[in-house]
Amino acid sequence: HGIPFSLSAAERLRDQLLVLNKLKECFNPDGSQSIKGKEIYQNYFTGGNAWFSDSSDTEKNMFSKELTFPHPETPGEKLFCSWHGKVRISNLRIRIHFHWSFAKTAPLNVVYIGQKITKV
């Protein structure tokens, strides 16, 4: 099902993808997260107004099938992607689901951008 275009939502999605990209680059040569990376994590992944969060244990259990996506580069492999960015504009609830272990060498796979899929 399609969703109506919203410039505000598109801009917010772009901003979230930029944050993910920037965070992916914020590691020291030894693999530890840089000070800038820690700031980004603190600003966008923690607190009541965080842009990104992990799904609750209840959502992970209830929607394990819906949160499992085909691996974008490895045919036949699946990725469980409970981490997500949240965009809410009016009645529009959009999510960016991604798989990343928050490690320097781990790939960041954005596997879904669309309507919220963990609706109860």
Side-chain angles (χ1 to χ4, degrees), residues 38-74:
K38 290 176 184 177
E39 288 174 3
I40 292 171
Y41 188 86
Q42 184 67 35
N43 291 337
Y44 296 101
F45 286 77
T46 64
N49 291 322
W51 283 11
F52 303 95
S53 66
D54 195 5
S55 295
S56 68
D57 289 340
T58 301
E59 281 184 339
K60 288 177 189 179
N61 289 329
M62 287 180 65
F63 297 100
S64 64
K65 180 181 171 193
E66 291 84 353
L67 295 173
T68 302
F69 300 88
H71 193 291
E73 296 176 340
T74 309

mmCIF file of all heavy atoms in Angstrom, residues 38-74:
data_model
loop_
_atom_site.group_PDB
_atom_site.id
_atom_site.type_symbol
_atom_site.label_atom_id
_atom_site.label_comp_id
_atom_site.label_asym_id
_atom_site.label_seq_id
_atom_site.Cartn_x
_atom_site.Cartn_y
_atom_site.Cartn_z
ATOM 1 N N LYS A 38 29.932 9.060 20.084
ATOM 2 C CA LYS A 38 29.221 8.987 21.370
ATOM 3 C C LYS A 38 28.216 10.125 21.500
ATOM 4 O O LYS A 38 27.122 9.933 22.026
ATOM 5 C CB LYS A 38 30.221 8.995 22.518
ATOM 6 C CG LYS A 38 31.019 7.709 22.603
ATOM 7 C CD LYS A 38 32.066 7.763 23.688
ATOM 8 C CE LYS A 38 32.884 6.468 23.641
ATOM 9 N NZ LYS A 38 33.957 6.469 24.609
ATOM 10 N N GLU A 39 28.577 11.306 21.011
ATOM 11 C CA GLU A 39 27.656 12.449 21.045
ATOM 12 C C GLU A 39 26.439 12.182 20.163
ATOM 13 O O GLU A 39 25.304 12.454 20.559
ATOM 14 C CB GLU A 39 28.366 13.717 20.559
ATOM 15 C CG GLU A 39 29.381 14.267 21.516
ATOM 16 C CD GLU A 39 30.160 15.443 20.921
ATOM 17 O OE1 GLU A 39 29.862 15.872 19.773
ATOM 18 O OE2 GLU A 39 31.078 15.922 21.602
ATOM 19 N N ILE A 40 26.680 11.671 18.966
ATOM 20 C CA ILE A 40 25.567 11.360 18.058
ATOM 21 C C ILE A 40 24.651 10.320 18.695
ATOM 22 O O ILE A 40 23.426 10.465 18.682
ATOM 23 C CB ILE A 40 26.092 10.877 16.692
ATOM 24 C CG1 ILE A 40 26.779 12.033 15.954
ATOM 25 C CG2 ILE A 40 24.951 10.291 15.844
ATOM 26 C CD1 ILE A 40 27.527 11.617 14.703
ATOM 27 N N TYR A 41 25.232 9.274 19.256
ATOM 28 C CA TYR A 41 24.427 8.233 19.904
ATOM 29 C C TYR A 41 23.595 8.847 21.038
ATOM 30 O O TYR A 41 22.393 8.594 21.153
ATOM 31 C CB TYR A 41 25.312 7.100 20.428
ATOM 32 C CG TYR A 41 24.503 5.936 20.922
ATOM 33 C CD1 TYR A 41 24.071 4.941 20.046
ATOM 34 C CD2 TYR A 41 24.114 5.853 22.254
ATOM 35 C CE1 TYR A 41 23.294 3.885 20.494
ATOM 36 C CE2 TYR A 41 23.339 4.800 22.698
ATOM 37 C CZ TYR A 41 22.933 3.820 21.822
ATOM 38 O OH TYR A 41 22.147 2.792 22.272
ATOM 39 N N GLN A 42 24.229 9.663 21.861
ATOM 40 C CA GLN A 42 23.534 10.290 22.991
ATOM 41 C C GLN A 42 22.385 11.179 22.495
ATOM 42 O O GLN A 42 21.295 11.161 23.058
ATOM 43 C CB GLN A 42 24.521 11.125 23.815
ATOM 44 C CG GLN A 42 23.928 11.734 25.056
ATOM 45 C CD GLN A 42 23.546 10.708 26.101
ATOM 46 O OE1 GLN A 42 24.208 9.694 26.263
ATOM 47 N NE2 GLN A 42 22.475 10.951 26.810
ATOM 48 N N ASN A 43 22.634 11.925 21.433
ATOM 49 C CA ASN A 43 21.634 12.874 20.938
ATOM 50 C C ASN A 43 20.468 12.225 20.203
ATOM 51 O O ASN A 43 19.352 12.745 20.242
ATOM 52 C CB ASN A 43 22.289 13.894 19.999
ATOM 53 C CG ASN A 43 23.205 14.843 20.729
ATOM 54 O OD1 ASN A 43 23.088 15.064 21.930
ATOM 55 N ND2 ASN A 43 24.158 15.402 20.006
ATOM 56 N N TYR A 44 20.714 11.112 19.511
ATOM 57 C CA TYR A 44 19.689 10.563 18.627
ATOM 58 C C TYR A 44 19.178 9.169 18.999
ATOM 59 O O TYR A 44 18.185 8.719 18.440
ATOM 60 C CB TYR A 44 20.206 10.522 17.177
ATOM 61 C CG TYR A 44 20.482 11.901 16.635
ATOM 62 C CD1 TYR A 44 21.774 12.398 16.568
ATOM 63 C CD2 TYR A 44 19.443 12.719 16.209
ATOM 64 C CE1 TYR A 44 22.040 13.670 16.076
ATOM 65 C CE2 TYR A 44 19.685 13.993 15.717
ATOM 66 C CZ TYR A 44 20.989 14.462 15.661
ATOM 67 O OH TYR A 44 21.236 15.718 15.171
ATOM 68 N N PHE A 45 19.842 8.491 19.931
ATOM 69 C CA PHE A 45 19.454 7.123 20.289
ATOM 70 C C PHE A 45 19.015 6.988 21.749
ATOM 71 O O PHE A 45 18.677 5.891 22.169
ATOM 72 C CB PHE A 45 20.622 6.159 20.033
ATOM 73 C CG PHE A 45 20.871 5.868 18.581
ATOM 74 C CD1 PHE A 45 21.520 6.787 17.770
ATOM 75 C CD2 PHE A 45 20.446 4.673 18.011
ATOM 76 C CE1 PHE A 45 21.758 6.517 16.438
ATOM 77 C CE2 PHE A 45 20.674 4.404 16.669
ATOM 78 C CZ PHE A 45 21.328 5.333 15.883
ATOM 79 N N THR A 46 19.053 8.055 22.513
ATOM 80 C CA THR A 46 18.668 7.978 23.920
ATOM 81 C C THR A 46 17.649 9.064 24.247
ATOM 82 O O THR A 46 17.542 10.060 23.537
ATOM 83 C CB THR A 46 19.889 8.126 24.854
ATOM 84 O OG1 THR A 46 20.452 9.429 24.687
ATOM 85 C CG2 THR A 46 20.932 7.066 24.578
ATOM 86 N N GLY A 47 16.905 8.853 25.296
ATOM 87 C CA GLY A 47 15.947 9.843 25.757
ATOM 88 C C GLY A 47 14.571 9.680 25.142
ATOM 89 O O GLY A 47 14.365 8.903 24.210
ATOM 90 N N GLY A 48 13.645 10.427 25.665
ATOM 91 C CA GLY A 48 12.247 10.329 25.254
ATOM 92 C C GLY A 48 11.970 10.768 23.837
ATOM 93 O O GLY A 48 10.991 10.340 23.234
ATOM 94 N N ASN A 49 12.801 11.628 23.288
ATOM 95 C CA ASN A 49 12.589 12.106 21.921
ATOM 96 C C ASN A 49 13.620 11.544 20.951
ATOM 97 O O ASN A 49 13.919 12.154 19.922
ATOM 98 C CB ASN A 49 12.630 13.636 21.882
ATOM 99 C CG ASN A 49 11.430 14.237 22.585
ATOM 100 O OD1 ASN A 49 10.327 13.727 22.496
ATOM 101 N ND2 ASN A 49 11.660 15.321 23.305
ATOM 102 N N ALA A 50 14.168 10.365 21.269
ATOM 103 C CA ALA A 50 15.184 9.747 20.408
ATOM 104 C C ALA A 50 14.622 9.501 19.014
ATOM 105 O O ALA A 50 13.474 9.098 18.861
ATOM 106 C CB ALA A 50 15.659 8.436 21.028
ATOM 107 N N TRP A 51 15.455 9.740 18.002
ATOM 108 C CA TRP A 51 15.046 9.464 16.626
ATOM 109 C C TRP A 51 15.095 7.982 16.331
ATOM 110 O O TRP A 51 14.390 7.494 15.457
ATOM 111 C CB TRP A 51 15.981 10.172 15.656
ATOM 112 C CG TRP A 51 15.762 11.646 15.501
ATOM 113 C CD1 TRP A 51 14.984 12.458 16.270
ATOM 114 C CD2 TRP A 51 16.343 12.471 14.504
ATOM 115 N NE1 TRP A 51 15.047 13.737 15.807
ATOM 116 C CE2 TRP A 51 15.886 13.781 14.727
ATOM 117 C CE3 TRP A 51 17.220 12.236 13.455
ATOM 118 C CZ2 TRP A 51 16.263 14.844 13.918
ATOM 119 C CZ3 TRP A 51 17.600 13.303 12.658
ATOM 120 C CH2 TRP A 51 17.117 14.593 12.889
ATOM 121 N N PHE A 52 15.965 7.248 17.036
ATOM 122 C CA PHE A 52 16.187 5.821 16.776
ATOM 123 C C PHE A 52 16.032 5.037 18.068
ATOM 124 O O PHE A 52 16.410 5.503 19.139
ATOM 125 C CB PHE A 52 17.605 5.585 16.231
ATOM 126 C CG PHE A 52 17.919 6.359 14.991
ATOM 127 C CD1 PHE A 52 18.569 7.568 15.053
ATOM 128 C CD2 PHE A 52 17.554 5.861 13.745
ATOM 129 C CE1 PHE A 52 18.870 8.286 13.901
ATOM 130 C CE2 PHE A 52 17.843 6.574 12.589
ATOM 131 C CZ PHE A 52 18.503 7.792 12.678
ATOM 132 N N SER A 53 15.502 3.825 17.937
ATOM 133 C CA SER A 53 15.410 2.949 19.108
ATOM 134 C C SER A 53 15.312 1.500 18.649
ATOM 135 O O SER A 53 15.067 1.217 17.480
ATOM 136 C CB SER A 53 14.196 3.309 19.972
ATOM 137 O OG SER A 53 12.998 3.059 19.280
ATOM 138 N N ASP A 54 15.491 0.621 19.605
ATOM 139 C CA ASP A 54 15.285 -0.797 19.367
ATOM 140 C C ASP A 54 13.828 -1.095 19.720
ATOM 141 O O ASP A 54 13.252 -0.452 20.602
ATOM 142 C CB ASP A 54 16.232 -1.608 20.258
ATOM 143 C CG ASP A 54 16.358 -3.060 19.852
ATOM 144 O OD1 ASP A 54 15.788 -3.436 18.809
ATOM 145 O OD2 ASP A 54 17.027 -3.808 20.574
ATOM 146 N N SER A 55 13.236 -2.035 19.041
ATOM 147 C CA SER A 55 11.871 -2.436 19.372
ATOM 148 C C SER A 55 11.849 -3.044 20.771
ATOM 149 O O SER A 55 12.840 -3.606 21.238
ATOM 150 C CB SER A 55 11.354 -3.465 18.358
ATOM 151 O OG SER A 55 11.251 -2.904 17.083
ATOM 152 N N SER A 56 10.711 -2.957 21.410
ATOM 153 C CA SER A 56 10.560 -3.560 22.730
ATOM 154 C C SER A 56 10.606 -5.080 22.611
ATOM 155 O O SER A 56 10.402 -5.637 21.528
ATOM 156 C CB SER A 56 9.228 -3.137 23.349
ATOM 157 O OG SER A 56 8.154 -3.713 22.626
ATOM 158 N N ASP A 57 10.865 -5.737 23.718
ATOM 159 C CA ASP A 57 10.865 -7.200 23.721
ATOM 160 C C ASP A 57 9.514 -7.751 23.267
ATOM 161 O O ASP A 57 9.450 -8.748 22.543
ATOM 162 C CB ASP A 57 11.223 -7.745 25.103
ATOM 163 C CG ASP A 57 12.679 -7.524 25.442
ATOM 164 O OD1 ASP A 57 13.498 -7.309 24.516
ATOM 165 O OD2 ASP A 57 13.017 -7.555 26.648
ATOM 166 N N THR A 58 8.433 -7.088 23.671
ATOM 167 C CA THR A 58 7.094 -7.518 23.264
ATOM 168 C C THR A 58 6.947 -7.435 21.749
ATOM 169 O O THR A 58 6.471 -8.375 21.111
ATOM 170 C CB THR A 58 6.017 -6.646 23.948
ATOM 171 O OG1 THR A 58 6.165 -6.768 25.362
ATOM 172 C CG2 THR A 58 4.621 -7.062 23.537
ATOM 173 N N GLU A 59 7.381 -6.302 21.165
ATOM 174 C CA GLU A 59 7.300 -6.162 19.710
ATOM 175 C C GLU A 59 8.182 -7.187 19.005
ATOM 176 O O GLU A 59 7.786 -7.758 17.995
ATOM 177 C CB GLU A 59 7.725 -4.753 19.280
ATOM 178 C CG GLU A 59 6.663 -3.711 19.463
ATOM 179 C CD GLU A 59 7.077 -2.348 18.935
ATOM 180 O OE1 GLU A 59 8.283 -2.075 18.773
ATOM 181 O OE2 GLU A 59 6.168 -1.541 18.684
ATOM 182 N N LYS A 60 9.369 -7.427 19.545
ATOM 183 C CA LYS A 60 10.267 -8.409 18.936
ATOM 184 C C LYS A 60 9.621 -9.788 18.904
ATOM 185 O O LYS A 60 9.756 -10.523 17.934
ATOM 186 C CB LYS A 60 11.595 -8.460 19.688
ATOM 187 C CG LYS A 60 12.457 -7.254 19.474
ATOM 188 C CD LYS A 60 13.720 -7.382 20.315
ATOM 189 C CE LYS A 60 14.518 -6.123 20.313
ATOM 190 N NZ LYS A 60 15.718 -6.229 21.138
ATOM 191 N N ASN A 61 8.921 -10.139 19.967
ATOM 192 C CA ASN A 61 8.249 -11.442 20.025
ATOM 193 C C ASN A 61 7.018 -11.487 19.125
ATOM 194 O O ASN A 61 6.824 -12.443 18.375
ATOM 195 C CB ASN A 61 7.861 -11.782 21.463
ATOM 196 C CG ASN A 61 9.057 -12.113 22.316
ATOM 197 O OD1 ASN A 61 10.055 -12.638 21.831
ATOM 198 N ND2 ASN A 61 8.989 -11.785 23.594
ATOM 199 N N MET A 62 6.185 -10.460 19.200
ATOM 200 C CA MET A 62 4.937 -10.443 18.435
ATOM 201 C C MET A 62 5.167 -10.282 16.933
ATOM 202 O O MET A 62 4.377 -10.768 16.129
ATOM 203 C CB MET A 62 4.025 -9.314 18.923
ATOM 204 C CG MET A 62 3.387 -9.555 20.268
ATOM 205 S SD MET A 62 2.324 -8.165 20.758
ATOM 206 C CE MET A 62 1.041 -8.249 19.521
ATOM 207 N N PHE A 63 6.235 -9.585 16.553
ATOM 208 C CA PHE A 63 6.446 -9.234 15.154
ATOM 209 C C PHE A 63 7.782 -9.742 14.616
ATOM 210 O O PHE A 63 8.366 -9.136 13.729
ATOM 211 C CB PHE A 63 6.367 -7.711 14.978
ATOM 212 C CG PHE A 63 5.023 -7.131 15.320
ATOM 213 C CD1 PHE A 63 4.809 -6.534 16.546
ATOM 214 C CD2 PHE A 63 3.973 -7.182 14.421
ATOM 215 C CE1 PHE A 63 3.576 -5.986 16.878
ATOM 216 C CE2 PHE A 63 2.735 -6.644 14.727
ATOM 217 C CZ PHE A 63 2.538 -6.052 15.957
ATOM 218 N N SER A 64 8.246 -10.861 15.124
ATOM 219 C CA SER A 64 9.559 -11.364 14.694
ATOM 220 C C SER A 64 9.579 -11.623 13.184
ATOM 221 O O SER A 64 10.575 -11.340 12.511
ATOM 222 C CB SER A 64 9.965 -12.612 15.467
ATOM 223 O OG SER A 64 9.073 -13.675 15.213
ATOM 224 N N LYS A 65 8.491 -12.117 12.641
ATOM 225 C CA LYS A 65 8.426 -12.373 11.197
ATOM 226 C C LYS A 65 8.482 -11.061 10.411
ATOM 227 O O LYS A 65 9.207 -10.942 9.417
ATOM 228 C CB LYS A 65 7.144 -13.143 10.858
ATOM 229 C CG LYS A 65 6.986 -13.448 9.388
ATOM 230 C CD LYS A 65 5.692 -14.197 9.120
ATOM 231 C CE LYS A 65 5.430 -14.299 7.634
ATOM 232 N NZ LYS A 65 4.063 -14.741 7.337
ATOM 233 N N GLU A 66 7.716 -10.071 10.858
ATOM 234 C CA GLU A 66 7.655 -8.788 10.161
ATOM 235 C C GLU A 66 8.973 -8.007 10.266
ATOM 236 O O GLU A 66 9.271 -7.173 9.406
ATOM 237 C CB GLU A 66 6.514 -7.924 10.720
ATOM 238 C CG GLU A 66 5.140 -8.451 10.387
ATOM 239 C CD GLU A 66 4.636 -9.531 11.347
ATOM 240 O OE1 GLU A 66 5.398 -9.985 12.225
ATOM 241 O OE2 GLU A 66 3.476 -9.929 11.215
ATOM 242 N N LEU A 67 9.747 -8.255 11.325
ATOM 243 C CA LEU A 67 11.016 -7.554 11.535
ATOM 244 C C LEU A 67 12.201 -8.305 10.930
ATOM 245 O O LEU A 67 13.350 -7.902 11.122
ATOM 246 C CB LEU A 67 11.252 -7.323 13.039
ATOM 247 C CG LEU A 67 10.255 -6.387 13.717
ATOM 248 C CD1 LEU A 67 10.473 -6.369 15.235
ATOM 249 C CD2 LEU A 67 10.350 -4.986 13.140
ATOM 250 N N THR A 68 11.928 -9.369 10.213
ATOM 251 C CA THR A 68 12.970 -10.152 9.552
ATOM 252 C C THR A 68 12.884 -9.881 8.049
ATOM 253 O O THR A 68 11.826 -10.040 7.443
ATOM 254 C CB THR A 68 12.791 -11.649 9.856
ATOM 255 O OG1 THR A 68 12.841 -11.817 11.288
ATOM 256 C CG2 THR A 68 13.897 -12.469 9.222
ATOM 257 N N PHE A 69 14.006 -9.460 7.483
ATOM 258 C CA PHE A 69 14.048 -9.009 6.094
ATOM 259 C C PHE A 69 15.101 -9.792 5.318
ATOM 260 O O PHE A 69 16.088 -10.252 5.893
ATOM 261 C CB PHE A 69 14.408 -7.518 6.039
ATOM 262 C CG PHE A 69 13.433 -6.642 6.745
ATOM 263 C CD1 PHE A 69 13.560 -6.373 8.099
ATOM 264 C CD2 PHE A 69 12.365 -6.072 6.067
ATOM 265 C CE1 PHE A 69 12.660 -5.557 8.767
ATOM 266 C CE2 PHE A 69 11.458 -5.253 6.719
ATOM 267 C CZ PHE A 69 11.603 -4.990 8.073
ATOM 268 N N PRO A 70 14.926 -9.896 3.997
ATOM 269 C CA PRO A 70 15.969 -10.523 3.181
ATOM 270 C C PRO A 70 17.265 -9.701 3.265
ATOM 271 O O PRO A 70 17.223 -8.470 3.249
ATOM 272 C CB PRO A 70 15.401 -10.475 1.759
ATOM 273 C CG PRO A 70 13.939 -10.239 1.916
ATOM 274 C CD PRO A 70 13.766 -9.499 3.203
ATOM 275 N N HIS A 71 18.380 -10.391 3.364
ATOM 276 C CA HIS A 71 19.677 -9.707 3.374
ATOM 277 C C HIS A 71 19.862 -9.026 2.022
ATOM 278 O O HIS A 71 19.649 -9.653 0.979
ATOM 279 C CB HIS A 71 20.800 -10.722 3.620
ATOM 280 C CG HIS A 71 22.101 -10.089 3.949
ATOM 281 N ND1 HIS A 71 22.834 -9.382 3.032
ATOM 282 C CD2 HIS A 71 22.810 -10.060 5.106
ATOM 283 C CE1 HIS A 71 23.937 -8.935 3.595
ATOM 284 N NE2 HIS A 71 23.940 -9.334 4.858
ATOM 285 N N PRO A 72 20.248 -7.747 1.998
ATOM 286 C CA PRO A 72 20.349 -7.036 0.722
ATOM 287 C C PRO A 72 21.486 -7.515 -0.183
ATOM 288 O O PRO A 72 21.460 -7.263 -1.378
ATOM 289 C CB PRO A 72 20.569 -5.577 1.134
ATOM 290 C CG PRO A 72 21.096 -5.643 2.513
ATOM 291 C CD PRO A 72 20.524 -6.882 3.135
ATOM 292 N N GLU A 73 22.473 -8.224 0.364
ATOM 293 C CA GLU A 73 23.615 -8.642 -0.446
ATOM 294 C C GLU A 73 23.829 -10.149 -0.495
ATOM 295 O O GLU A 73 24.579 -10.630 -1.329
ATOM 296 C CB GLU A 73 24.888 -7.976 0.073
ATOM 297 C CG GLU A 73 24.857 -6.467 -0.058
ATOM 298 C CD GLU A 73 26.073 -5.804 0.543
ATOM 299 O OE1 GLU A 73 26.758 -6.416 1.377
ATOM 300 O OE2 GLU A 73 26.341 -4.649 0.166
ATOM 301 N N THR A 74 23.186 -10.893 0.412
ATOM 302 C CA THR A 74 23.399 -12.333 0.478
ATOM 303 C C THR A 74 22.081 -13.064 0.242
ATOM 304 O O THR A 74 21.248 -13.147 1.148
ATOM 305 C CB THR A 74 23.997 -12.737 1.853
ATOM 306 O OG1 THR A 74 25.130 -11.928 2.123
ATOM 307 C CG2 THR A 74 24.388 -14.199 1.852
#
